[in-house]
Amino acid sequence: MLKTAEHLYLQIADKLEQLISKDVLKIGDKLPSVRTMSEEQGVSMSTAFQAYYHLEAKGLIESRPKSGYYVIFSPRRMPEMPKACEAVKKPSEVTLHEMITQVSQDMSLQNITRLASAAPPEALLPAAKISKALIQALRKSPNAGIAYEPVQGNPDLRRQIARNSILWGGAISEDDIVTTNGCMDALTLCLSAVTQPGDTIALESPAYYGSLQLAESLGLKVLEVPTHPGTGVDLEYLDKAIPKFKIKACLFVTNFTNPLGACMPDCNKQELVRLLEKYNIPLIEDDIYGDMYFGKERPGVCQTFDTNGLVLLCNSFSKSLAPGYRVGWTVPGRYKEKVLNLKRHHSISSPSLPSAAIACFLENDRYEHHLRGMRKNLHTQYMRHLQAIREYFPEDCCVSRPQGGFVLWVELHPKVNTYEIYEQAIKHKVSFAPGRIFSLQERYNNCMRISFSNPWSKQIDEGLKTLGRLIRKMS
């Protein structure tokens, strides 16, 4: 009954949002009264109210006392999208230590408006239910969780991950999965399994700075591949670059890249797999943001198109459920034995209780229910952040349109240096991620990554207003 009511109010809200985005309902237009909407749609007054509250939370409409609801914002007013980067001439060594270290340290400062971290706040996570699952796991454990897990990982957890793979079109078994200490550990194991120091790998550009640092730690060179903010990696460029630069592996985020927010269409994913099969090189697919989609369906993954075991799929529950539990996993395809050997040498096994707790949480079918609420909140927060940027930042700025994930990529006038803005913003207790840390090249100096992971608040509104003021001074 409750699910039906929730479905109905979201259906009504989606229809109205589409009318607003198509300018059928324009800014200033009055919406039908709640009573009229209730009668026209054949729903209760409460359901009609919920639909309007939902649109109001997104900042699309507002309630005016004794007058009704009015449209106040349209997605048609959004800034232009950023442009894809230009191709680079050769792979690069990794040297960004000081700037990345500074930004990372500043993320933990007290009393700061956090627009830098691409991670979920506690407010979006089911802490009480996770705690309950942890107690349940402890009671079920024959040894109180103090014994080593099998190297491949907790069998119950692997079984639940395999069961949930149907949500992204997967058809894997628990035997295909290796658990890890978070997604970065999965990426490290997989990248180590398919490369040697001195090899060149391909990354998106802009690329997550953690991936750049990982490449450096393994002694790898990086070729940055031009990436479209909507559709992802330029496959035509990649096809020519693989033989030219002797690429040994690709590491791509195919769904909602960090920081650009691009989501590769399924047809492109299939083409990418075929391309890599032609050259017989592996793809390490980071799908950590895949569950954080705003649309009707979860985007697929390249792994579902792989018939030769060349795709090593990596993921974790750090962005969706429990960052501190550090529970990740990989489906490493033909490289499974190499990954298991590396894990055996590096960490022996994964922590017992966190893995068992996540398994219990998944077993009780709480995960998808939690994700539905989280996705709805993230989409609302995305809309509010986007609107504030449109209002406070210069009119010539370009902003990405991610359909999932946690972050926005903002491109400003070429003469604006966002690291200089960053140094000023920190003094005003506002953090963000300057664009320069997302590339090994001298580029993206006029760009910034802004996280919309935190629920909208007056503090965030003031933080974005402060950033807009600092940017306008430099423009």
Side-chain angles (χ1 to χ4, degrees):
M1 187 82 169
L2 287 174
K3 286 186 178 179
T4 303
E6 179 183 8
H7 181 66
L8 283 174
Y9 93 77
L10 287 175
Q11 272 191 331
I12 295 168
D14 286 346
K15 287 178 184 177
L16 289 171
E17 188 170 342
Q18 288 176 28
L19 292 175
I20 293 170
S21 67
K22 293 175 182 176
D23 261 3
V24 176
L25 288 171
K26 296 179 171 58
I27 294 173
D29 284 356
K30 183 179 180 181
L31 297 178
S33 69
V34 173
R35 183 177 297 280
T36 300
M37 181 61 69
S38 168
E39 293 171 352
E40 286 182 353
Q41 299 297 319
V43 297
S44 67
M45 292 274 284
S46 173
T47 300
F49 264 121
Q50 279 186 295
Y52 281 179
Y53 291 158
H54 184 68
L55 294 175
E56 193 172 23
K58 286 188 174 183
L60 297 176
I61 67 174
E62 71 175 3
S63 172
R64 297 176 185 172
K66 299 181 181 180
S67 182
Y69 287 91
Y70 290 81
V71 178
I72 60 170
F73 189 86
S74 169
R76 281 181 172 266
R77 295 186 63 228
M78 298 300 186
E80 290 186 11
M81 291 267 279
K83 303 174 187 66
C85 71
E86 295 180 2
V88 298
K89 294 182 179 179
K90 61 179 182 178
S92 304
E93 304 286 347
V94 183
T95 51
L96 278 172
H97 280 304
E98 290 184 11
M99 198 177 292
I100 293 174
T101 300
Q102 185 64 54
V103 173
S104 298
Q105 288 176 345
D106 290 344
M107 285 184 190
S108 60
L109 291 174
Q110 296 296 315
N111 302 317
I112 196 166
T113 302
R114 291 181 173 84
L115 300 173
S117 178
E122 292 179 23
L124 294 186
L125 301 175
K129 291 179 180 177
I130 285 288
S131 298
K132 185 177 179 181
L134 181 61
I135 294 169
Q136 183 182 355
L138 187 59
R139 287 173 178 165
K140 284 175 60 177
S141 173
N143 51 37
I146 61 174
Y148 282 126
E149 293 281 2
V151 176
Q152 193 165 341
N154 181 293
D156 290 337
L157 176 60
R158 289 188 285 116
R159 194 173 303 119
Q160 292 304 319
I161 292 170
R163 192 187 74 160
N164 278 332
S165 70
I166 193 173
L167 298 174
W168 42 264
I172 59 174
S173 74
E174 61 187 90
D175 195 49
D176 298 320
I177 300 165
V178 178
T179 68
T180 61
N181 299 322
C183 191
M184 189 55 72
D185 186 41
L187 297 176
T188 303
L189 292 172
C190 290
L191 201 52
S192 299
V194 302
T195 62
Q196 298 290 331
D199 285 349
T200 297
I201 65 168
L203 290 177
E204 299 107 346
S205 187
Y208 171 50
Y209 56 82
S211 297
L212 296 174
Q213 290 180 306
L214 172 58
E216 179 184 29
S217 71
L218 297 176
L220 303 172
K221 295 180 181 178
V222 170
L223 178 75
E224 298 181 33
V225 180
T227 304
H228 186 276
T231 57
V233 168
D234 184 335
L235 298 180
E236 186 177 342
Y237 172 85
L238 182 64
D239 192 7
K240 296 174 182 176
I242 289 172
K244 181 178 179 181
F245 298 111
K246 297 182 174 58
I247 304 296
K248 293 299 175 65
C250 297
L251 169 53
F252 294 148
V253 181
T254 53
N255 293 321
F256 319 125
T257 61
N258 177 5
L260 205 53
C263 183
M264 188 180 288
D266 282 355
C267 59
N268 289 33
K269 288 169 182 163
Q270 187 171 17
E271 185 182 346
L272 173 59
V273 172
R274 299 294 167 259
L275 172 62
L276 298 183
E277 285 176 348
K278 181 173 75 171
Y279 293 106
N280 196 37
I281 65 172
L283 165 66
I284 299 163
E285 182 177 21
D286 181 353
D287 188 46
I288 195 166
Y289 299 106
D291 285 330
M292 305 294 106
Y293 60 94
F294 302 151
K296 302 292 184 186
E297 296 180 351
R298 191 199 195 282
V301 294
C302 290
Q303 196 271 341
T304 59
F305 300 109
D306 178 31
T307 57
N308 293 299
L310 283 171
V311 177
L312 300 87
L313 178 65
C314 300
N315 208 327
S316 85
F317 297 96
S318 296
K319 302 297 184 185
S320 60
L321 204 55
Y325 278 32
R326 311 306 301 140
V327 175
W329 53 271
T330 178
V331 180
R334 66 166 73 166
Y335 304 96
K336 175 184 165 185
E337 289 306 316
K338 283 189 176 182
V339 168
L340 280 172
N341 281 333
L342 285 165
K343 181 181 177 183
R344 189 178 291 113
H345 296 153
H346 290 179
S347 57
I348 303 176
S349 71
S350 302
S352 300
L353 279 178
S355 295
I358 297 295
C360 285
F361 189 91
L362 297 177
E363 186 178 359
N364 293 324
D365 293 322
R366 296 167 177 158
Y367 190 49
E368 188 57 28
H369 175 74
H370 155 66
L371 285 177
R372 280 198 299 270
M374 188 173 184
R375 289 193 289 260
K376 187 169 68 175
N377 287 328
L378 284 172
H379 193 200
T380 296
Q381 291 159 204
Y382 155 69
M383 292 293 292
R384 294 305 295 261
H385 282 70
L386 198 55
Q387 290 165 45
I389 289 170
R390 176 70 178 83
E391 181 176 354
Y392 301 140
F393 285 29
E395 290 185 5
D396 61 353
C397 79
C398 299
V399 188
S400 60
R401 303 279 196 290
Q403 294 306 302
F406 292 87
V407 295
L408 289 165
W409 182 249
V410 182
E411 183 182 294
L412 302 165
H413 190 279
K415 72 178 182 181
V416 174
N417 185 308
T418 55
Y419 190 68
E420 292 180 13
I421 297 287
Y422 174 82
E423 292 179 314
Q424 296 177 48
I426 284 296
K427 296 175 183 177
H428 289 82
K429 300 291 185 181
V430 180
S431 71
F432 66 89
R436 181 63 186 84
I437 66 175
F438 297 96
S439 173
L440 304 179
Q441 313 294 320
E442 189 59 43
R443 54 169 52 162
Y444 308 130
N445 287 312
N446 63 318
C447 299
M448 58 170 56
R449 187 193 75 182
I450 291 178
S451 168
F452 53 82
S453 61
N454 285 298
W456 184 254
S457 65
K458 183 178 180 181
Q459 182 183 7
I460 289 175
D461 185 62
E462 288 298 322
L464 289 168
K465 191 181 294 185
T466 297
L467 285 185
R469 188 169 62 250
L470 294 172
I471 291 166
R472 289 179 183 279
K473 284 182 180 178
M474 188 177 283
S475 299

